[in-house]
Structure formats: C-alpha cells, structure tokens
Amino acid sequence: MFFASDNWAGAHPKIAQRLFAESGGFAAAYGTSDLDQKIEAKFSEIFERDVAVFFVATGTAANSLSLASVQKPGGISFCHPEAHVAEDECGAPDFFSGARLATVEGVLGKIDPKALTTKVARFPQDALHHGRAAAVTITQATEIGTVYSLAEIDAIATVCKANGLPLHMDGARFANALVALGVSPAEMTWKRGVDILSFGGTKNGCWCAEAIVFFNPEQAKEMHFIRKRAAQLFSKSRFIAAQFDGYFEDGLWLDLARHSNRMADRLRAGIEQASTARLAWPTASNEVFAIISKSAAKTAEDKGAKFYEWPIPESQPELVSGNETLIRLVTSFATTNDDVTGFLACLA
Amino acid sequence: MFFASDNWAGAHPKIAQRLFAESGGFAAAYGTSDLDQKIEAKFSEIFERDVAVFFVATGTAANSLSLASVQKPGGISFCHPEAHVAEDECGAPDFFSGARLATVEGVLGKIDPKALTTKVARFPQDALHHGRAAAVTITQATEIGTVYSLAEIDAIATVCKANGLPLHMDGARFANALVALGVSPAEMTWKRGVDILSFGGTKNGCWCAEAIVFFNPEQAKEMHFIRKRAAQLFSKSRFIAAQFDGYFEDGLWLDLARHSNRMADRLRAGIEQASTARLAWPTASNEVFAIISKSAAKTAEDKGAKFYEWPIPESQPELVSGNETLIRLVTSFATTNDDVTGFLACLA
Amino acid sequence: MFFASDNWAGAHPKIAQRLFAESGGFAAAYGTSDLDQKIEAKFSEIFERDVAVFFVATGTAANSLSLASVQKPGGISFCHPEAHVAEDECGAPDFFSGARLATVEGVLGKIDPKALTTKVARFPQDALHHGRAAAVTITQATEIGTVYSLAEIDAIATVCKANGLPLHMDGARFANALVALGVSPAEMTWKRGVDILSFGGTKNGCWCAEAIVFFNPEQAKEMHFIRKRAAQLFSKSRFIAAQFDGYFEDGLWLDLARHSNRMADRLRAGIEQASTARLAWPTASNEVFAIISKSAAKTAEDKGAKFYEWPIPESQPELVSGNETLIRLVTSFATTNDDVTGFLACLA
Amino acid sequence: MFFASDNWAGAHPKIAQRLFAESGGFAAAYGTSDLDQKIEAKFSEIFERDVAVFFVATGTAANSLSLASVQKPGGISFCHPEAHVAEDECGAPDFFSGARLATVEGVLGKIDPKALTTKVARFPQDALHHGRAAAVTITQATEIGTVYSLAEIDAIATVCKANGLPLHMDGARFANALVALGVSPAEMTWKRGVDILSFGGTKNGCWCAEAIVFFNPEQAKEMHFIRKRAAQLFSKSRFIAAQFDGYFEDGLWLDLARHSNRMADRLRAGIEQASTARLAWPTASNEVFAIISKSAAKTAEDKGAKFYEWPIPESQPELVSGNETLIRLVTSFATTNDDVTGFLACLA
C-alpha cells in the first residue's frame, strides 16, 4: 500500500529489461549515439512534428532549464502558487534563469486565464523597475491531480500569444494527463500553443528519464550550451535513451499511465463511498486527495499504508474539520488492485 | 577497437544486472531509502571513516558543486591547465561556484607544488581587487593518464594547508589511479589531506554513478541544498545506489579498473615497440597518448578503430613532427585483448 | 509643485558645497582615505556603537547586497508585498543573493508579525524542496509613507529571533521615519533587533549617498568582497564621504527630514479639508497618498504640478470610485510652502 | 608628489563647479531628465554617430555589464593577462556575465593579434565542452600606460570580425589614449570596429562619471534591464550628467588628458636622464613605469612621494636587478610641475 509518491516505485520490468539489454557494446557519448538519435526521431513521431529533445537528470532540471532558455534580465515567469517550480524545487528555476516567479491564482490547481491577464498586465515589457513578463508555465497534470482541458490550455495560450510570452508545460505526469483527456500528445501541446515541454518518464515507470522538448527546434539552439553548463549532459546518454525506447515501445507509456489512473479511479470511487473519508477535489489523474478521519488515517498507517499528509491550501482554510486530515494518495504503474482494496478496507 | 573514450562503453553486466534486480518494490525517494543508506555506509567502510556522500548526475556536477561548496565572493580555484574543470565543463564550475579558475602549470598533467605556492601567493586573503585563493583541485588520474604519487599529493596538500585552502580531487577515473598506485582509497585521499572527492563510477562500468564525498561530514551541511538547487537530486536515487552496490560488490570496481589499466599496459608496450608510433607521455592508468604516423592512423581508422586526435599542448609545440599526429586511446572494462591486438597490428 | 518623487530634487546647497570644497588635494582611493574613516566613525557615533559601513551607488545595491550577505542556497527573504525590493528593483535582490523573496501581508504597508510567523513556519530550515527561511526585510518609512512604531519593529524582531533570522531594514527614507517617531537612530535599529540597515541619504538631500550599515561588524567580513564583485566599490569614495560629512554636520540630515515631513503634514492637513480629495492612508513621513477627483488632478497637472498616479492595491480594490484617482505626493528638502499652497489651491 | 593613482585626485574645479551649479531645481529621475538627454546627445556628437549611453557607478561596472550584454552560456571573453577585467575587478566580469575570461599574450600590455587568432580558434562556436568565443576586450590606454595604435586596433578588430565577435574597449583612460594618438574619438573606436566602449571620466577629473557607449544602439536594448538589475541605475542621474557636462565643455576633458600626459612626459624624460632609474616600458599616456634603485625609492618616499611598487610581470622575470624595484607613477589633471620636479630631484 505505497501511495506516498509515484517516485517510490522502481522501474517497470520492460524498461529495466530494455536498459539491461543495452549494456553491451560501444556507442558515441554525450547524446550523439544512434540510439539517442532514434529516440529523438521517436519524439518527433509521437508529437507529429520535428521537435528538439534534450535529456536531463531531473524534472527540476527540465523545468529550470526550460525557463532559463526563454529568460531575460528582470524577467518574470508566471505559475500557479501550487506549481512544482514554486513549491518543490528549492529555487532552482530562479537560480538557473536568473528570473523571478510570480504566482497566479486559480481553482483546482490551474491558472485562471483572467487572473493571468491581470497579472501579466502588471509587468509590461518596459517595466524597468517592476520587472517584465517573460514566460508562463502550467503543470499538466497539476500538482493536485487535476487536468487542464484542451479548452483551458487554449485559454492560457491565448493570453500568452496576446502578450508575446512563451508557454511552458511541466509534464512530470504528462502521460497521466494525456490518457485522462484521451487526446494525442500533439493535441495537448503545440496544437494548443505550448512552446516547450518538460516531458517526464520517471514517475511513470522509468528510472530516470526526463526530456525537454522544443516544438520549434529553432528556439532550442542555446539549449545545448545551457544544458552542458548546468552539468546536465550525460556521457552515457544512451542509458536514458534506452529507457525511453522501452517506455515508448508498443505504447507501454500510455498503458502504464492508464493503469495508474485506473488505480486512482478505484481509490476515488472507494473514498466517495466511505463513511470516514471524502474527496478533497475532483482529480482526474493518478493523484487522489482525500479528507479522512484521523482515526482512519491511523488505522491505514498501522496496517502499513504509506502516504503523505498534505498542507491545507491557504485559499481553502475551511477544507478540513478538527478530527480530519488531508492526505495525498499517488498511484503508479506498480500499484496493484490489492493495494487499493487493502487501503479502502482501512476506511470501512 | 573502440578507444575513443571509456564512456563509449555501456554498463558492466554485473552492474546492469544489479540495477535490473532493483526495479521491483517500493522505496523512499530522494536518497532516503534503505539502499541509499547502505551505500553511504559502504562508502564510509571503503574510505575507513565516516564520510558524507551525495549522488549527482555527471562528473561535471560533482566537480562544480564540490567547488561551489567551498567558494567565497572573489574566490579563485586553482587547477592544472589541462584539468577537466578548465577544459571540458563549459564553464560549469564558474557558473555554480560564482568563482574563477586560475591555472597552475606542471609537467605530465600534474600541478607543480612550487608553481602552486607561487600562484597562490598572488591571491592573498585580503586581495580585494585581484581576488583571493579559495580552493585547489587536482585530477587523479590526470587528463593525460598520469597518476599523482602519494608523495605528490602530499606536496600539494602541504601547500593547501599552509594557505588554509580546501583540497578537492576530481576522481572521474579514481579507480584507475587507485589500482595503478596499489594503495587504499583512504591512503590516496584524506590521509593525504584531500577534503572533497568527486568519485566517478560511470567511466569504469556504471551507467551513471557519480558521487561527491566529503571526508569531514561537518563541511557537507550546505550540500543538500546546493545539490537540490542545482537540480541534481534524483527522485529514484536508488537507481544510482543499486549501480554502486554492484560496483562495489566483491571488489568489482577494482577488478574493472585493473582490467582497463592492463589493456592500456598492453597498448603502451605495443606502441613502444612499433616503428610507426611512440608514446607521448609515460602514462600509468587507462589512457594512452601516442604519436603516430598519419598513415598508420589512417590504416587504423580504415580498419574500424575509434580514437580522437588530441590537441598538441601549448607547452610542447615540438612534440609532433609533420607527418605525425597525436592520438588518445582510452581503454575500459569492455576493452578486449583482441581490440588491443587488432589496433597494434595497424601499427606494424 | 514637484511632488513626483524626492529623488527629483537635486542636492542640498550645504551638501553640494561640502562636496565642492572636497574637490582639491589628493586622498587614498577605494574608501581608505581619512575622510572615509572619519565618516565611518561618525556613523558609529550616530548609532552609539561600533558599526561597519559600506558606501554603495544605489538603494537597490544597498538592499540587494545586504540580503546577499545573509543568504544560503534555497533561502527565502521575507518582505511586504509593496516593499521596494519586491516592486521596484527589477529582481536585483534575487540576482545578487541567489535567493527568492516571499511576501507577507500586513495593513498600511507593514508586515504583520502574526502573518510573518505563519509564513516563516512554512519554510523550516530542513525544507529541502520548498526552501528555507533566510532573512526578513522591513522598510522604514514604508513605501506608502507609514512608519513602523518601535513596538511594531520589536514584534517583527521577536519573530526573527525566534527563528534565527537576520533582520534587515530598508532605510531609503530612514531620516523621515526617525524624525516622525522622534527617537534616536539606535532606538529605531539595533536596540530593536535590526542587524543590517540600508541607510539612504540620496532621497533626503544628497546627490548619491547610500550606505550599508552592519550593527555587528563581525558579520560584515564578507561584504568587502561582495561589494567589490558587485562593481559597487567607488574609487573616489570620498565624494560620497564628503556628502555624508555635509549631511551629518549640525544635524542637517534631521532638519531636512523634518522639513519634508512638515511639508507633507501641510499637504495632509489641506487634503483632509478639501472637498475634492481625501487621504488614502494615515501616513506619517514625507509621502502622502490622496484619493482625488479626476478633475482636480487635471487642474493640478495643468497648473504644472508633478505627481504620479498610483496603482490601486490588490488588497483594497474598492479604495477609489469611478471619477477618482489615487495619487502619490512626495515632499523633499526642496519643497516650499508655496509649492504646497499652490497644490492645495488646485483642490479648492 | 602624489603618483599613486589618478583616482587619488579629487574633481577638477570646473567639473565640481558645474555639479554644484546643478544642485538646485527639480528634474526627472533615473536618467530621463533634460540634462541626461543633452549629455547623451553630446556623446553622439563627440563620436559622430548616434550612440546609446548608459551611466554606471564604476569602471568595473562598465566593463562587466558591457561583457554581460554580449554573453552566451559557455562563452569566453578574451583579454590581455594584465587587463583590469582580469587583474583588478574581483571576478565581477565573470559574475555579471556568467562567462569566463581567457587571456591572450602580447608585448607591452597589448593583445597580439596572431595570438588572438590562435586562441580564439581553440573556442569554436560548437565547442560544447570547451566553451565558445563570445567577445574580445582591449584596454586603451593599457594597464601599463602604452597605447594601441589605430593599426593595432584594426588588427584586433579584423580578428573579431573574422570570428563574429563583438569588440569591447575598456576606456578607463580613454582621453589619455586619445590625445596620445592625436585622433578623434570616432577614429579610435567605431571606425576601427569597436562595438562597445567603457568611457571613463573619473580618472580624468570627474568624481564619478563612467558610461557604457554602444555604437550600434540596436545592440543596447537589453542594457536598460541589465543595468537596473545590476543596481547601477542612479536615481539622481543628473549628478553624473552634470559632471560630463563640465567635462566636455570647451574640450576640458582633452585639456586635462593633455596635461596629465605632459606631466608623464616630463617624468619619462627625467627618468631617462637619471642615473638611479630607467624606464621599464615606452609608455605613451599618463602612466610611467620606472625601474629605480631601492635607495632612490626610499629617498622619494621619505620626501613624501606616493607611488606603488609594481609586481614584476611573469613574462619578464629579468626586468629588475637585486637592488632595484619596479614602480608605477600615475599623473593626473591635478599633478603639478613642482610635483614632477620634486620627484625627479629624488633620483639625482
């Protein structure tokens, strides 16, 4: 009953096997091998256009270097207050980009397009003292497990275009969002106006497979140097390429995301029916937030369930009553039906 | 006949197998799992004292963050002109540490202690305009395949102590140096006065396994934040831990280094006897630099040998005559006797 | 009728004269002259304890380098949302300190101590992902012209001490706050728990005279290098020292601040009685914020008055009705009674 | 007999007077006043083309921000080993530009164009690991008082153009070089291929008057934000503008430079005839380097002369014999004939 995070899982056997199979032989280093190039081509195929792809070590690196690539002195990147770049990256986006984050409110973990318009207007391009708008970043799926609809991404992209701002998507849980919406990778990204994507494989069954994807390769020219100077260029880059090779083969990545979402669906359904718990938000991907009685939480922990208590959002101080707690449950490719059944039994 | 670099090899089967075996189950993320802690303990055992260990993604990260951890405004890090930090890291050490490198000459790729004393004296601690000495970094084995003797490290460390400077060792090829000297890890590091070590596993049979080792854990307190802000904290950290687990098991790491050094020995012996080639420098680890006739180089390449032509050092302009070229040959755990025999045959 | 900003004034004649008188002769450069040292001693006298003083070029430099001197990786500096560091310095504090700002609400431009306690608690010292509290900065007088009472500074300092955080005061309008409270420099700073002060002279009658003051000189050791590396060490440093010499002579600085506060008092009194205007906030220093009918604003501008329209605070959207506007009026040593009378006449 | 540095002088009376005269009245802040704009126009007139001008606080700021404005990740700026940016700015150019300096040898303090070609060739634009050439900076007059001829600047500029590199000139002693060559400002800069100039007024009679000049204003667009974020935008910017106003009036700046050069000429002539001293290098501006007997140096110091002993260049270890010392003598607008006569008398 490991629901602490999808990064507590290891690697899916097929991906691990593919990596193992790659270990022999020799290949050019630093991302220039045939396998690296095959995977780059695979990304272009998946996204239905020529893309530039850069492997990096962590999701934090993918986000930070993406934002760094579009920065300017005095620039401001706009994100949701609960975004990973704001809450969980120890200032790395600011450090690498030399820019500041400004947060834009919105319900259910998503930036509100009207609030974005208002906020961006406070940072015009000649705002020498105050700072100027430089980029917008959204998280798909969001940090609270919700998913931007295509129309919602359109609305954000419209504000970006009107203000000449590049749009970055933090896709640490890209696949979970994709199968939740049931759309194609192209439909959820560049067809909506997304310029740069942090494409995460780690949380969905890889060991360590994160990529920055530029939908306009022309804009990626500086990234080779930005990445190398950031100490993020792997010598044996094919160890990432091999993971992606297994990840993409026969649509494994989508199957894994469907599995974790399905496990989350079962959790949601069970929680809705439980007397000791209720859903905090209507999530759609592999994260479930439940308001649960403290006694049920204690029972679950005693029986070995792993999960994190979650801070009450500042905007929803009334969310939880005195004898309750807010918890986060994350499913992964490795979550089993028994895990879910076992956890739900604790709520009875 | 792949002699381009030891990072053209994949992963040793035992390490790849150990990683594969780790893929199941769940474990705490971000370096807190039991396996992570087991490996940290293993490092302490190997170095015969309590050490603090930080996994990072690349050797460049290990070097850059090591130097960053001991920097100060206006600080200068001293290195050999051919050091990896100076030549091959795209300015990452400067970027992360906010400090400048100053190079100190010395024959055979090693800092000359007298030259170091002279150079450090130019940067006293109150040199507000010129900058002040902050750290010394040496590479073991060096970039040209030579190895500092214990006495040579002592001499450097003596200068460091006299000037209150921390001593960092770039051990991207630590194991190759260790078995070349036939000493213990402790003898080659903290017993000599080394404070911080970049411990490399990637070039010696791992996929991606680099660690920063602090011999005084008290000095490592800020590194947790330095690493996280540098986007170098792996979520599934155990994928590195597992590689090190295989790497250290039954002394595999030393066996692999002995093998590559032995392959280099055979190359050296063969080149010394060849009429079309000679050794550029008396190297001792798994890198061999040969001055070879252009025709022999052509022959080797035609037969499929992979190696890099190497720039003539500025300090040795006469090294190579007109019909010759300087090449670098690097052996690895995966180099075979047949590879060596085949290459030497090209020189006949 | 120049009320746009106190930095639209030139230099007070006595300060300009003192600077002129200094132009002859020779003196040691880079802050080591006798005059520099005399002024440092003068600061110690004014603050009734040994302080370390660093002249810099701008208030932005004073704030940014102050915060840089107490930073750490992943550190967070806390400030009011309307603070100059947050609103008007183009990200310089983040750039120099490598740290992020977090804003803490509070009415009338002042940080609320309870809100500070709550906010700081979100950034504990081991918050590797979220970031950790590093410093608190308050502005005295605030950006909206109010002044922290001694008790209010005490309350902030208590939170700082409880959390081990250094307290910085942005004193761009230090003198105006001081005479508004009628207390001594020591009472408003280190006796309250302030550790570092940005001491501004420019807005109160100097050309360019800003200083960073450390109340514990031991904590200032790195500042020499931080300042030099930031390109803020003046060669002919005595041109700043001379201004401060004139500034402090016979209490000129306090007289000038009293004058500008008095002019602001007259503006406040006049506005309270005007039918076309009212005060936005009960300010106490040399800044007056008025809600004024658009027609009266037009009249004043037509008659040559200079002032800025001010953005409506996000926290007070109802502040201004449709036919009104919010304006800022700043007085200085150079403001005359006629300027004030002339402006008030426009409101009649 | 103050020959320690030209920054030991104060301000020329005409400049000090002009600044004093400016102290009254009100004017728009942050470089937007009429006087600021008049001076910008004056720069364009002096340089015979439209230029963009940015006042900053120090020569270090001018150099650092100039180089920052043309940097790129992994970029390298080329300078002479004795350049101010390399020797005397505490790493500020690296800090602001995020780039590394590489030194290029050359006799008499000037970059050798052939050595530059060779060095630049080591940093091609695709040198991901090694770093890539980004800018060249020369110092005019040089740090040892010599002056690049127009042909010598042409030779450097030719290398820059061939490699697509912007050329920066550190003109901390611009006027001294200009009158030494007897050419126009345009001839010594953009007509030669200089792109960006650090124009220094401080050492030649101003208090604090440094400007960055872009000969192609289109390339200056980001500098507004770069400067503000660097805390280098003065509020009462007209205090610099006023100094430049006096500096340029009736060619005062050239007269002052001619005076200091003439004083240096007299020093040079006297030293050549002295039995106890000789010239180290054939300098042409207001810096004189003399090899002087230790006893004569002692005599001069006893009689009150101020000067610095200078480090022996690494490239000329034989320059000075055992009973001699190398000293630097700098003249300024404030140096008198009596100062020179007095000093020369010490050598008799």
Side-chain angles (χ1 to χ4, degrees), chain B residues 73-75 84-95 98-101 119 122-123 127-131 314, chain D residues 73-75 84-95 98-101 119 122-123 127-131 314:
Chain B
H84 203 264
V85 289
E87 290 285 288
D88 288 301
E89 301 187 350
C90 196
D94 319 49
F95 176 72
R100 185 178 280 184
L101 297 177
K119 193 86 170 199
R122 298 186 58 224
F123 299 90
L128 187 56
H129 297 259
H130 193 47
E314 291 187 62
Chain D
H84 204 264
V85 289
E87 290 286 289
D88 289 300
E89 301 186 351
C90 196
D94 320 48
F95 176 72
R100 185 178 280 184
L101 298 176
K119 193 86 168 199
R122 295 186 60 223
F123 299 90
L128 185 56
H129 297 259
H130 194 46
E314 292 186 62

Side-chain angles (χ1 to χ4, degrees), chain A residues 73-75 84-95 98-101 119 122-123 127-131 314, chain C residues 73-75 84-95 98-101 119 122-123 127-131 314:
Chain A
H84 204 264
V85 289
E87 289 286 287
D88 287 302
E89 301 187 351
C90 195
D94 319 48
F95 176 72
R100 186 178 280 184
L101 297 177
K119 193 87 169 198
R122 296 186 59 224
F123 299 91
L128 186 56
H129 297 258
H130 193 47
E314 292 187 62
Chain C
H84 204 262
V85 290
E87 290 286 288
D88 287 301
E89 302 188 350
C90 196
D94 319 47
F95 176 72
R100 185 179 281 184
L101 297 176
K119 193 85 168 200
R122 295 187 60 222
F123 299 90
L128 186 56
H129 297 259
H130 193 47
E314 293 187 61

Side-chain angles (χ1 to χ4, degrees), chain A residues 11-269:
Chain A
H12 187 271
K14 285 190 183 169
I15 295 167
Q17 182 64 52
R18 177 64 190 83
L19 181 56
F20 181 73
E22 182 64 22
S23 49
F26 293 84
Y30 297 115
T32 61
S33 75
D34 292 347
L35 180 59
D36 285 283
Q37 281 165 33
K38 172 188 165 187
I39 299 305
E40 283 194 53
K42 183 72 185 172
F43 268 95
S44 292
E45 184 191 319
I46 286 172
F47 283 100
E48 302 172 48
R49 68 181 288 164
D50 272 352
V51 300
V53 179
F54 298 83
F55 302 154
V56 292
T58 63
T60 295
N63 291 337
S64 298
L65 301 188
S66 292
L67 292 175
S69 75
V70 292
Q71 275 310 317
K72 41 196 180 189
I76 311 279
S77 299
F78 300 89
C79 66
H80 193 273
E82 293 160 23
H84 204 264
V85 289
E87 289 286 287
D88 287 302
E89 301 187 351
C90 195
D94 319 48
F95 176 72
F96 283 104
S97 70
R100 186 178 280 184
L101 297 177
T103 56
V104 183
E105 295 291 342
V107 296
L108 293 176
K110 305 181 215 173
I111 290 177
D112 176 65
K114 280 185 195 154
L116 180 61
T117 297
T118 304
K119 193 87 169 198
V120 166
R122 296 186 59 224
F123 299 91
Q125 292 308 304
D126 60 353
L128 186 56
H129 297 258
H130 193 47
R132 53 182 167 169
V136 175
T137 175
I138 58 175
T139 313
Q140 178 78 325
T142 74
E143 293 299 313
I144 63 159
T146 56
V147 176
Y148 283 88
S149 71
L150 296 194
E152 286 170 333
I153 305 174
D154 279 338
I156 300 290
T158 299
V159 180
C160 290
K161 277 202 195 80
N163 290 278
L165 300 179
L167 177 54
H168 168 256
M169 177 182 279
D170 174 0
R173 294 189 179 93
F174 185 81
N176 297 289
L178 199 67
V179 300
L181 290 183
V183 299
S184 75
E187 283 170 330
M188 200 169 82
T189 56
W190 62 269
K191 288 190 175 175
R192 301 273 77 68
V194 173
D195 297 292
I196 311 174
L197 170 68
S198 294
F199 182 94
T202 306
K203 288 185 197 296
N204 191 36
C206 296
W207 271 125
C208 166
E210 303 290 318
I212 301 170
V213 180
F214 283 84
F215 295 111
N216 180 349
E218 192 63 23
Q219 295 169 348
K221 285 184 302 184
E222 288 298 295
M223 183 52 80
H224 289 283
F225 283 87
I226 291 173
R227 178 179 60 173
K228 173 65 187 172
R229 187 181 61 169
Q232 293 280 347
L233 177 59
F234 288 105
S235 55
K236 297 183 177 176
S237 175
R238 62 172 158 147
F239 96 88
I240 293 194
Q243 293 176 69
F244 276 131
D245 203 27
Y247 189 62
F248 291 139
E249 193 172 353
D250 298 330
L252 176 65
W253 66 302
L254 301 174
D255 290 343
L256 299 183
R258 279 186 205 107
H259 174 82
S260 25
N261 285 12
R262 209 151 44 217
M263 293 298 103
D265 284 342
R266 283 201 53 217
L267 274 174
R268 281 185 282 263

Side-chain angles (χ1 to χ4, degrees), chain A residues 314, chain C residues 78-81 102-107 110-123 155-156 159:
Chain A
E314 292 187 62
Chain C
F78 300 88
C79 66
H80 193 272
T103 57
V104 183
E105 295 291 343
V107 296
K110 304 180 218 174
I111 290 177
D112 175 66
K114 280 185 196 154
L116 179 61
T117 297
T118 305
K119 193 85 168 200
V120 166
R122 295 187 60 222
F123 299 90
I156 300 290
V159 181

Side-chain angles (χ1 to χ4, degrees), chain D residues 152-176:
Chain D
E152 287 171 334
I153 304 173
D154 279 338
I156 299 291
T158 300
V159 181
C160 290
K161 278 204 193 78
N163 290 279
L165 301 178
L167 178 54
H168 168 256
M169 177 181 280
D170 174 0
R173 294 186 179 96
F174 185 80
N176 298 289

